[in-house]
Amino acid sequence: MSRNTILNGLRAALRVRPGDAGREAAVDDRLRGARPGHIVPARARGRSAAERVAAFVELADASGATVERVPGTDAVPGAVADYLTHNNLPARVRLAPAPWLNDLPWAEHPLLDVSTGAARADDPASVTPCFAAIAETGTLMLLSGPDSPTTLNFLPETHIVVVRASEVVGPFEEAIIRLRGRGADYMPRAVNFITGPSRTADIEQTMYMGAHGPKRLHIVIVDEGDDRARA
């Protein structure tokens, strides 16, 4: 059966006539990236920036994560050090290689052992940036890349994520639109959506934390970023 025979059969079944300007325009728009909007739940629509952050904090907390808010990026190292101390965790962290994250005043906390790079098997805690935080479900959207190795999201038992308030969006669709806005040349190999720490209750319905990743997820929200945090 020839290709034209197959295509003509499909056109007949779909009642498509050659030269249908409306259908051709719709196809052209779709190929250029135009997409119809999806139905967005009411709780993810029409929120101010402050309301989005408040909704994200509420749902992230409900998922088992802990959340702390700081006034600026320079307060991040102190927040990380305090979190580890208050939870009796080793004072050692592995930072994502994001330049703005490494430029923060970590040296002001000499008791904190800080290293940078992809996660190693013995790293107790990691600190990573965030691409978007989704208020609809309290979910973090993390992208793989040279500045944020995916191993940091899963290997250490404690994962600390720094979220700028401007990165908090309403629905999932807005986060995806932001990702598409980066352009095809900047698409990551992996996109991780993380809601709360890793857990499972597969065995006898007993909750076990850290089954497939970190058993602790701590989110530091920066209310007022500076230029270093805009890179």
Side-chain angles (χ1 to χ4, degrees):
M1 185 179 294
S2 70
R3 177 175 179 271
N4 285 336
T5 300
I6 295 172
L7 293 177
N8 287 334
L10 291 172
R11 292 188 184 100
L14 296 172
R15 298 180 181 179
V16 175
R17 297 188 303 274
D20 187 330
R23 280 184 174 272
E24 290 177 358
V27 171
D28 287 341
D29 287 343
R30 190 62 183 262
L31 291 174
R32 284 195 295 266
R35 295 174 175 84
H38 297 288
I39 297 174
V40 175
R43 72 179 185 182
R45 287 186 275 116
R47 293 178 180 271
S48 67
E51 289 172 334
R52 287 196 300 271
V53 173
F56 173 79
V57 170
E58 179 183 355
L59 291 173
D61 180 73
S63 74
T66 53
V67 184
E68 177 179 2
R69 300 180 70 166
V70 297
T73 51
D74 282 350
V76 169
V80 170
D82 289 345
Y83 172 79
L84 297 176
T85 299
H86 293 161
N87 288 277
N88 295 315
L89 297 172
R92 183 157 56 93
V93 296
R94 188 79 163 165
L95 297 184
W100 71 266
L101 191 60
N102 284 263
D103 287 344
L104 298 182
W106 298 99
E108 294 180 4
H109 303 273
L111 297 181
L112 190 61
D113 182 2
V114 179
S115 59
T116 302
R120 300 169 299 199
D122 62 343
D123 287 326
S126 62
V127 180
T128 70
C130 173
F131 178 74
I134 301 166
E136 180 181 349
T137 55
T139 298
L140 298 167
M141 182 179 184
L142 309 182
L143 309 184
S144 66
D147 288 352
S148 188
T150 297
T151 53
L152 294 170
N153 304 339
F154 297 104
L155 286 182
E157 288 195 340
T158 300
H159 185 194
I160 301 172
V161 183
V162 182
V163 177
R164 291 165 280 188
S166 61
E167 293 166 340
V168 180
V169 301
F172 273 89
E173 285 80 0
E174 187 175 343
I176 297 299
I177 289 170
R178 283 193 177 197
L179 179 59
R180 286 177 179 152
R182 289 164 54 100
D185 292 339
Y186 297 94
M187 289 294 105
R189 291 201 64 178
V191 177
N192 298 125
F193 291 97
I194 298 174
T195 307
S198 173
R199 71 193 82 187
T200 184
D202 289 344
I203 302 175
E204 297 182 350
Q205 299 301 298
T206 299
M207 184 63 69
Y208 178 78
M209 306 300 290
H212 311 293
K215 62 172 62 175
R216 304 176 198 87
L217 175 63
H218 184 60
I219 303 169
V220 180
I221 297 179
V222 179
D223 286 324
E224 298 176 6
D226 58 27
D227 290 339
R228 287 180 301 184
R230 300 298 172 187

